[in-house]
Amino acid sequence: MVPPKKIKVLITKVGLDGHDRGAKVVSSLLREAGMEVIYLGMYQSPEGIVKAAIDEDVDVLGISFLSGEHLVFTPKIVSEMQKNQLDDVLLIAGGTFPAEDIPTMEKMGIDKVFRAGTLTDTIIQFIQANVRG
Amino acid sequence: MARSKQSGELIERLFAGDRLAAARLITLVENETDKHHEIMRQIYPRTGQALIVGITGSGGVGKSSLTNHLIKKFRDQGKTVGVVVVDPSSPFSGGAFLGDRIRLQRHTQDDGVYIRSLASRGYLGGLSRATNDVIRIMEAMGREVIIVETLGAGQDEIDVIHIAQTCLLVMTPGMGDDIQAMKAGIMEIADIIVINKADLDGTDICIRHIEAILSIGSFKEGDWVPKVIPTISVASKSENLRGIDELMDAIAEHQNYLRVTEAFEKVKFERIEQELGLIFKDELQKLVFKGLKGTGKKKKYIENIMSGNGDPYSVVDEILRTYILQGSDEI
Amino acid sequence: MIKQPPQRDGGPNAGFADSGQLRTNLSGLSIKTSYCDRDLADFDSARDLATPGEYPFTRGVHKEMYRRKLWTIRQLGSLDSPAKANERIRQLIDMGATGVSICLDLPTIMGRDSNDPLAEGEVGSCGGVAIDTLEDMRDLLSGIALEEISINFVSNSQSAVILAMFAAVAEERGIAWEQLTGTMQNDILKEYQAQKSYYFPPRPSMRLTMDTIRFCIQNMPRFNPISISGYHLASAGATPVQELAYTLSNGFAYVEEGIKAGLPVDSFAPRLSFFFKAHNDFFENIAKLRAARRIWARTMRESYGASDPRSWRLRAHIQTSGSSLTAQQAENNVIRVTLQALSAVLAGTQSLHTNAFDEAFSVPTPRSEKLALRTQQIIAHESGVTNTVDPLAGSYYLEALTNEMDAECRKIFKEIVALGGVLSAIEKGYYQRAIADAAFNYQREIETKRRIVVGLNAFVEDEDIEMQLREPETDFVRKKVAGLKKLKSKRDNRQVNEILKEIKTVAGGTDSLMPTLIKAVKSYATLGEIIGVMREIFGEYCENAIY
C-alpha cells in the first residue's frame, strides 16, 4: 500500500535560550496530528539547524524564540536556507516577541509567525495548507 | 532556484557525495513514489562495500551516546560515516517523534557525518520498511561506515541483525535485561554485547552472568563467540569514559573474523536474502491491494466469509490463482 | 486534527455552563460542589493549624505578619547594561519597592562574557543585565543603600562568582557584610530538573552551593544564600502539587547535603528560603503555601531533628505566573496578575513580585511596571486583607484543599525516595518526564477547550495591537564589549592568570572557593574566565534528553 505522504517537521531553538516547554509541547501535538517531528533541542546555531533540515529533507522548519533574539537570528537562518536552496521548505516561528516585530520577521523571510498562545490547530492547518508537494 | 527533482540528476549528484541529493532520494524512496524502484535499480550496483554496524537495546541504555563515540572514532580513522536512526511511529496518529538526532549533536558541523532519522511507519521489527534502501543510498553516496541505531525494547525488534554485519546489543547492569535477552536467545545473535554505565553497581555480576550464559551456548568450532565489553559512554570529563577503544577493537576484530572465515559471504547472503524477502512481501501486497482497490471485491470477500461462505485461505488461493499465476489483469 | 468536544448552542463564545469544563484544579484534584464540616472530620485545628507564628506555621511564619511589616514589594530591576539597570532599580525604589530582583542576561547565565562568540546577539537579552566583571557589579549597585534594600540575585550556576562580586562591592563601600540583606537564588537542583542552565555535574555543583551557604552563615547572617524554587518547575509545566512536592524535596536534599558537610542543621536551615509561583487557581495557590509551611515544619523538626524554631519556618517569595499571561488582549493580564497577587498575600508570602501586563511581548515599560507595583500597594493599603493574619483559615474548602495537597505531596515524596532520592531521580529523568507530560496535558486541555483561557480559546477577538513597548538601548553591546576589552588591557593580567590557576587548585580540593573567588573578582578576572577554569576541573554535565 502506498502510504500517504508524511509531513516532516524540524523544531528547534537557537542560541543560548533554554526555555523549551513550548517547543516540546508543539512537537508532541504535531506528532498527534500525524506528522513526523524531529526536535533538535537547545543551543543550536543557524548553520547546524539548516544542515539538519537538509539531511532530514524536512518540509517544515519551526523555530522557537523566547528571549528577544528573533531579529538577530532570523536573517541568519533565512540566508543559510537560501544559500542551500531550501526555498520550498516552509519556515515558521513561534514564541514571545513584540507584535510589531512580526511583520519585520515575515519580511525577513519567515512564512508565518505564531505568537505564544496560538492554538496548535491553527499551526497544523497552516502547515497542511502551505506545505510543498 | 528550486532543487531539481529529476531523479537521474539526483543520482549523479549522489554518486558525487552530494548530501542534498542523498536527502531528496531518501525521501523519494521512503515515500515509495513511482520513482522508487528505478532509483534503487540504478544505485544498487554502487552498494555493498560499507562497514555496517547495528546498535540495538532498550530505551535509556545509552545507545546514542555510544553512537556518538563510534562516529568520532571512525572519523578519527578518516572514514566517512552515515547514520540511520529509527524511532517508532504512533499507531494511533501515524505521527512520530524522532528524538535521536538531538543526542547526536556533536557532529552537526562535520560534513563527513550524514544522519537521517526514520519513523517505523507501522513496520515491526525495530526498523522501518525503507531502512535497507536508505542504507544502500548512503553506501552509494560513498559513506564508508554506516551505523544503524534502532529501538530494541523487546524480543521482536531484531531485524537489525540481518541488516548489519556487526551487531551490538547494549544493556545496562541491574535492569534485568540480561534475563530477558537470554530468554530471546538474542545474546547468541548479537556479535558484541555492550554493558554500558559500567560504573553502576552490579556490573561485575552482570558480566559474569552473561559470560556464563554464553559458555553454555551452542557455538561450534570456529564460530564467533560474542564479546562482552563494559563501557561508560557518558561522563562529565573525557578521562572518565571507558571501553570505547575496546569496543572499536571488538568491532574491528569481528569484521576481520568475517573476512577471514567465510562468514562475510554468509552475512552478505543473509542481507540480500532478507532484502529480497521484504521487498517481495511488500510489493506483492501492494500489487494485490492495488488490484482490489475500488472494485468493492475486498468487501465482498469479507462479507462472504462473515456470512459463513468460505474462509480467508480460499480467498487468497483464488486471488493468487487468477491474478498472479494466470497473469490476469483483473482479480 | 485535535478533536473538539461537541459545541453547545450559541457557538464557541457562549458561556460554558457545565459540559466540557473540568471541575478539577490544576493539580488534577477533584473539587466538590460545596464543602462543609464533614470534610474536616478528623481535622485537629490545634495540631494542624495552631496559631500564626507557632509550629507547624500553617497559618503563617509570624504572629503578626503584615500588621507589623508588609511583605517585601520586590520587582525585577534589571536591564541590559548595568548603568541602565541601576537607573531602573532606583526608579523602583522611588516608586515604593522595598526589594529588587536582578536577572542576568543569557550569556551571563550560561557563564560567558559579553565578548564570547557564543554570546552574539544575546547580550542584554530578556531584560537581564550583562555582568562580566566587578566593575559591572559596582555600576549596577551604585548609590543603592545595600543595608536597607533587599537584593535578590536571580543567579544559579554562577552564584559563587556573583556572591563574590557582591561581597567585594560591599567591602569597597565600607558596608559590613553582616548588614547586607537579600537572596541568591542559587538552586542548582531545579536547573537539572527544569530550567537547564547548569554547567557542572551535580557533585561539584552541590559543593559550590555548600561553599556559598557556609560563607553566608559565617559572614552574611541576614542574607539568604539560597532560594529553593518551584516557580521554574511550574513554568516548565509542573502542576501546583508537583511544584510543592519537588520544591520541598529539593529543600530536604539541600538540608541533607548540609548535614553531610558537617554543618549542624540549625546553623543553616534558618537561612533556607523558598520561591513559589502564584498561578491561576486562586485557592490552590493559598493551600499550596500553607501545606508547604506545615510539611516543612514537621519534617525539619521530626525527621531532621532541628530544634531552633527558625529552622522550622518556611519563608517564601512568590511571583505571579508569567506563563499565564497572554499576548492576546494583553490588558486582561492586569486582572490575572491582581488575582494571583491577592492569592499570594492571602497565602502569607514574605515577598512578592507582580508581573507587568505586557510581559507576553517584551520587557516591561516604566508605565506597565508601575502599574504592577501599584497593584501590590493597593492590595496592601486599600483592600483590608492585611488587617488580620491568615483570614481564610477555617474555610472548609481551603482547609480540605490544604490537607489534600499535603497528602498528595507526601505520595510524591515516596516516589522520589523509591527512585533513590533527588539526584538519582534526576538521572533517571523522573522530573523531566513528569513535567513534560504535565505541560502537554495542560496544552491539550486548552486546545480541547476543557480549560478556558479568556481571549485565547474563548472570547477571542481580532485585535489591532498598539502597544507602547520598551525601547532597547542602542549601541549597548558595542559599548559593553569595548569596555570589557579596555578593562582587560588595564588590569594586571599576570595577577589574573595566577588567581585563575589558584582557583583550579582550590576547586580540585575541598576547601571553600569563596575567599579565592573574592580575590579573583577584585583583580578583575571576568565571570567567563572564572567559570571557564572551573569547567576544566569540574567537567560539564550532559543531560539525557527526555520528552
Side-chain angles (χ1 to χ4, degrees):
Chain A
M1 238 177 341
V2 181
K5 180 177 189 291
K6 298 283 182 191
I7 299 178
K8 268 186 105 169
V9 185
L10 183 74
I11 303 274
T12 183
K13 296 205 58 73
V14 64
L16 294 173
D17 176 22
H19 298 95
D20 58 359
R21 172 181 178 171
K24 284 192 200 168
V25 168
V26 169
S27 298
S28 301
L29 288 168
L30 291 181
R31 168 188 181 243
E32 282 213 342
M35 303 188 194
E36 291 178 350
V37 184
I38 298 167
Y39 175 60
L40 214 53
M42 306 184 286
Y43 316 130
Q44 301 302 316
S45 67
E47 297 77 20
I49 291 170
V50 173
K51 187 123 171 274
I54 294 172
D55 286 0
E56 301 283 1
D57 198 22
V58 297
D59 302 303
V60 185
L61 177 55
I63 324 273
S64 160
F65 292 115
L66 263 106
S67 296
E69 68 283 26
H70 46 287
L71 293 180
V72 169
F73 283 111
T74 299
K76 292 191 183 178
I77 293 170
V78 170
S79 109
E80 199 63 30
M81 284 173 78
Q82 281 167 349
K83 229 182 357 186
N84 288 282
Q85 300 167 337
L86 295 186
D87 321 298
D88 56 353
V89 173
L90 211 56
L91 180 61
I92 60 177
T96 301
F97 19 68
E100 69 219 23
D101 286 352
I102 294 178
T104 314
M105 289 163 75
E106 289 179 349
K107 228 181 292 171
M108 283 175 169
I110 297 190
D111 293 309
K112 193 86 172 96
V113 176
F114 298 103
R115 284 183 311 176
T118 305
L119 299 180
T120 312
D121 264 354
T122 311
I123 305 176
I124 292 170
Q125 276 162 23
F126 179 80
I127 291 176
Q128 286 171 341
N130 292 285
V131 76
R132 63 185 177 188
Chain B
M1 190 183 77
R3 287 172 286 161
S4 171
K5 285 205 172 121
Q6 294 299 330
S7 55
E9 192 194 314
L10 286 175
I11 291 174
E12 283 307 308
R13 282 161 55 192
L14 174 76
F15 292 155
D18 182 307
R19 53 199 315 132
L20 221 143
R24 288 295 302 148
L25 285 167
I26 290 176
T27 305
L28 290 172
V29 151
E30 198 188 6
N31 290 340
E32 293 184 88
T33 57
D34 48 8
K35 304 204 179 48
H36 173 200
H37 288 203
E38 182 52 37
I39 291 170
M40 291 312 296
R41 258 196 286 274
Q42 287 202 34
I43 66 151
Y44 208 87
R46 301 265 196 136
T47 70
Q49 71 284 30
L51 191 170
I52 305 179
V53 179
I55 302 187
T56 187
S58 311
V61 297
K63 296 191 291 295
S64 294
S65 56
L66 285 167
T67 303
N68 253 327
H69 290 300
L70 294 181
I71 296 174
K72 171 134 199 323
K73 293 285 178 184
F74 282 120
R75 289 296 294 137
D76 287 343
Q77 291 175 5
K79 302 251 166 59
T80 54
V81 180
V83 186
V84 184
V85 279
V86 188
D87 275 310
S89 296
S90 157
F92 306 113
S93 70
F97 194 88
L98 306 178
D100 289 299
R101 195 185 183 100
I102 192 178
R103 298 172 222 235
L104 301 177
Q105 295 289 26
R106 246 163 277 170
H107 311 281
T108 36
Q109 303 288 43
D110 182 357
D111 276 332
V113 182
Y114 180 88
I115 302 171
R116 182 73 176 224
S117 313
L118 300 179
S120 66
R121 294 193 182 174
Y123 186 79
L124 305 168
L127 301 175
S128 78
R129 189 212 55 79
T131 307
N132 257 318
D133 294 346
V134 174
I135 295 174
R136 296 264 175 211
I137 291 175
M138 287 188 182
E139 285 184 288
M141 186 191 181
R143 298 284 140 160
E144 296 158 296
V145 176
I146 297 180
I147 302 176
V148 185
E149 196 191 300
T150 85
L151 187 67
Q155 284 76 53
D156 296 326
E157 283 93 336
I158 58 167
D159 276 359
V160 68
I161 284 155
H162 298 294
I163 257 185
Q165 295 152 356
T166 302
C167 188
L168 272 49
L169 170 64
V170 186
M171 303 196 293
T172 53
M175 281 177 68
D177 269 1
D178 47 354
I179 317 282
Q180 287 297 95
M182 175 184 75
K183 284 192 200 153
I186 202 163
M187 286 206 232
E188 295 160 316
I189 306 171
D191 303 304
I192 300 173
I193 297 165
V194 182
I195 312 293
N196 197 24
K197 306 194 190 181
D199 49 339
L200 290 179
D201 280 336
T203 300
D204 287 329
I205 299 173
C206 187
I207 295 176
R208 271 182 280 145
H209 192 180
I210 293 172
E211 284 175 345
I213 295 169
L214 290 174
S215 70
I216 59 169
S218 51
F219 299 106
K220 297 194 288 295
E221 176 77 39
D223 276 352
W224 169 267
V225 178
K227 289 213 177 303
V228 184
I229 311 275
T231 58
I232 300 177
S233 65
V234 180
S236 49
K237 285 194 269 189
S238 54
E239 50 255 37
N240 296 337
L241 298 168
R242 253 184 65 197
I244 308 300
D245 286 327
E246 287 81 343
L247 182 56
M248 286 296 288
D249 287 341
I251 293 173
E253 236 185 279
H254 181 251
Q255 284 282 316
N256 194 45
Y257 162 83
L258 290 177
R259 273 156 236 274
V260 160
T261 63
E262 272 130 31
F264 196 70
E265 289 303 307
K266 183 159 169 280
V267 156
K268 219 169 158 178
F269 187 92
E270 282 173 0
R271 180 185 177 191
I272 297 174
E273 188 182 28
Q274 191 212 34
E275 248 179 325
L276 205 56
L278 279 177
I279 298 170
F280 195 43
K281 204 163 42 156
D282 220 38
E283 293 302 317
L284 202 60
Q285 255 194 338
K286 269 202 307 221
L287 202 66
V288 171
F289 284 119
K290 190 160 130 200
L292 282 177
K293 194 170 178 180
T295 60
K297 283 196 176 141
K298 179 168 144 192
K299 191 156 171 266
K300 259 212 290 257
Y301 280 130
I302 297 174
E303 279 169 356
N304 264 346
I305 298 172
M306 276 169 74
S307 58
N309 294 325
D311 62 274
Y313 284 95
S314 311
V315 169
V316 171
D317 281 344
E318 189 184 311
I319 293 175
L320 284 178
R321 231 187 354 259
T322 53
Y323 191 52
I324 306 286
L325 299 173
Q326 289 176 17
S328 158
D329 279 338
E330 269 184 30
I331 301 183
Chain C
M1 208 58 90
I2 313 279
K3 292 218 171 61
Q4 301 284 1
Q7 292 292 346
R8 296 219 127 199
D9 293 332
N13 281 345
F16 293 89
D18 359 77
S19 159
Q21 214 182 8
L22 295 172
R23 294 298 176 199
T24 58
N25 62 12
L26 294 168
S27 300
L29 302 176
S30 297
I31 310 297
K32 295 161 74 156
T33 308
S34 66
Y35 286 77
C36 63
D37 52 345
R38 278 197 300 274
D39 293 297
L40 300 179
D42 78 343
F43 186 65
D44 177 351
S45 79
R47 176 194 69 193
D48 298 330
L49 284 188
T51 45
E54 296 284 320
Y55 177 88
F57 303 102
T58 317
R59 299 196 62 189
V61 293
H62 296 301
K63 189 159 137 211
E64 290 176 274
M65 288 298 289
Y66 310 132
R67 282 168 68 117
R68 194 169 69 85
K69 185 165 170 249
L70 281 178
W71 64 87
T72 304
I73 296 180
R74 183 189 302 283
Q75 298 294 86
L76 216 56
S78 41
L79 264 183
D80 34 38
S81 76
K84 280 241 146 226
N86 177 268
E87 208 182 292
R88 184 174 173 190
I89 293 172
R90 298 216 239 181
Q91 280 167 359
L92 285 168
I93 296 173
D94 284 338
M95 284 198 273
T98 41
V100 140
S101 284
I102 312 266
C103 262
L104 306 172
D105 70 354
L106 275 173
T108 311
I109 288 174
M110 297 314 290
R112 311 233 168 234
D113 292 330
S114 306
N115 61 350
D116 190 312
L118 283 178
E120 202 195 326
E122 312 214 59
V123 180
S125 55
C126 233
V129 63
I131 301 275
D132 300 319
T133 66
L134 185 64
E135 192 173 76
D136 296 324
M137 182 65 76
R138 196 184 290 134
D139 291 342
L140 178 68
L141 301 176
S142 153
I144 295 169
L146 298 178
E147 321 88 309
E148 288 162 19
I149 300 292
S150 163
I151 312 263
N152 172 31
F153 290 97
V154 184
S155 146
N156 290 288
S157 301
Q158 62 287 123
S159 291
V161 181
I162 301 288
L163 183 62
M165 289 184 183
F166 182 56
V169 167
E171 203 178 277
E172 274 177 8
R173 288 169 49 176
I175 303 174
W177 288 344
E178 294 79 43
Q179 296 187 288
L180 295 172
T181 167
T183 308
M184 184 74 62
Q185 194 169 89
N186 200 19
D187 172 8
I188 193 64
L189 289 175
K190 64 116 169 35
E191 297 300 325
Y192 295 118
Q193 291 158 352
Q195 189 165 243
K196 313 291 173 71
S197 61
Y198 45 70
Y199 326 136
F200 318 122
R203 281 274 108 244
S205 295
M206 283 305 229
R207 177 267 181 90
L208 278 174
T209 308
M210 284 298 125
D211 283 356
T212 51
I213 290 179
R214 228 183 275 123
F215 179 83
C216 288
I217 60 182
Q218 281 161 9
N219 301 290
M220 293 185 186
R222 291 179 66 208
F223 192 83
N224 302 311
I226 190 169
S227 175
I228 302 159
S229 308
Y231 183 89
H232 313 76
L233 305 174
S235 296
T239 65
V241 84
Q242 285 171 334
E243 183 195 351
L244 174 66
Y246 299 164
T247 311
L248 290 182
S249 70
N250 286 350
F252 298 135
Y254 288 118
V255 169
E256 286 167 23
E257 274 303 307
I259 294 174
K260 236 193 314 183
L263 296 170
V265 67
D266 287 317
S267 70
F268 66 95
R271 296 253 52 93
L272 302 177
S273 66
F274 288 81
F275 174 22
F276 288 105
K277 186 187 245 219
H279 198 51
N280 290 330
D281 191 311
F282 191 82
F283 285 100
E284 205 171 3
N285 290 333
I286 303 171
K288 181 175 72 187
L289 195 60
R290 294 167 99 249
R293 284 194 293 262
R294 183 161 74 204
I295 297 171
W296 181 260
R298 286 183 172 158
T299 312
M300 287 307 289
R301 178 157 147 175
E302 290 157 30
S303 301
Y304 294 107
S307 48
D308 185 340
R310 292 173 306 157
S311 300
W312 309 331
R313 281 181 341 190
L314 181 148
R315 296 166 302 122
H317 166 71
I318 291 187
Q319 179 172 334
T320 61
S321 169
S323 61
S324 72
L325 304 183
T326 59
Q328 294 79 355
Q329 297 174 40
E331 283 170 336
N332 293 343
N333 294 329
V334 175
I335 324 300
R336 294 186 176 108
V337 170
T338 307
L339 289 171
Q340 291 161 6
L342 182 60
S343 76
V345 168
L346 290 169
T349 188
Q350 278 56 62
S351 144
L352 179 61
H353 168 108
T354 33
N355 293 331
F357 70 88
D358 51 0
E359 288 196 58
F361 291 102
S362 161
V363 174
T365 59
R367 202 162 155 249
S368 65
E369 191 168 68
K370 187 164 69 168
L371 188 60
L373 194 148
R374 295 282 179 251
T375 306
Q376 294 197 40
Q377 289 163 331
I378 292 173
I379 294 176
H381 300 288
E382 295 182 18
S383 73
V385 303
T386 55
N387 290 337
T388 187
V389 180
D390 193 29
L392 293 175
S395 144
Y396 299 128
Y397 177 36
L398 183 65
E399 298 302 352
L401 191 57
T402 306
N403 292 344
E404 219 183 325
M405 288 189 86
D406 188 325
E408 284 302 309
C409 177
R410 291 182 191 277
K411 276 195 215 148
I412 296 178
F413 285 169
K414 287 210 179 77
E415 279 173 29
I416 297 171
V417 167
L419 287 168
V422 173
L423 286 180
S424 172
I426 290 173
E427 277 287 301
K428 296 187 169 130
Y430 167 77
Y431 299 97
Q432 297 90 313
R433 212 169 280 121
I435 290 174
D437 283 348
F440 181 67
N441 285 335
Y442 185 76
Q443 185 61 24
R444 240 244 223 80
E445 285 173 3
I446 291 178
E447 304 268 353
T448 54
K449 298 205 177 137
R450 292 178 74 216
R451 192 168 292 285
I452 300 297
V453 180
V454 174
L456 197 70
N457 64 0
F459 313 106
V460 174
E461 282 169 12
D462 275 325
E463 306 175 76
D464 256 324
I465 307 179
E466 265 217 36
M467 293 191 69
Q468 260 286 328
L469 294 174
R470 186 181 273 277
E471 294 291 324
E473 186 183 329
T474 50
D475 217 25
F476 150 67
V477 181
R478 197 188 55 80
K479 286 197 242 160
K480 188 94 190 42
V481 171
L484 187 59
K485 196 162 165 212
K486 195 160 144 221
L487 183 140
K488 278 176 143 175
S489 66
K490 286 208 311 210
R491 69 183 184 184
D492 182 347
N493 282 296
R494 205 177 39 87
Q495 189 188 46
V496 170
N497 284 328
E498 284 305 309
I499 299 247
L500 290 176
K501 272 202 220 112
E502 204 185 312
I503 292 177
K504 288 210 304 211
T505 314
V506 179
T510 51
D511 287 342
S512 170
L513 269 162
M514 287 310 298
T516 318
L517 290 177
I518 294 178
K519 255 202 306 194
V521 304
K522 281 184 181 170
S523 68
Y524 296 102
T526 69
L527 185 125
E529 286 166 342
I530 296 173
I531 302 285
V533 300
M534 294 209 276
R535 263 192 250 257
E536 286 173 45
I537 304 297
F538 294 144
E540 291 217 43
Y541 183 69
C542 296
E543 183 195 42
N544 272 329
I546 304 277
Y547 309 98

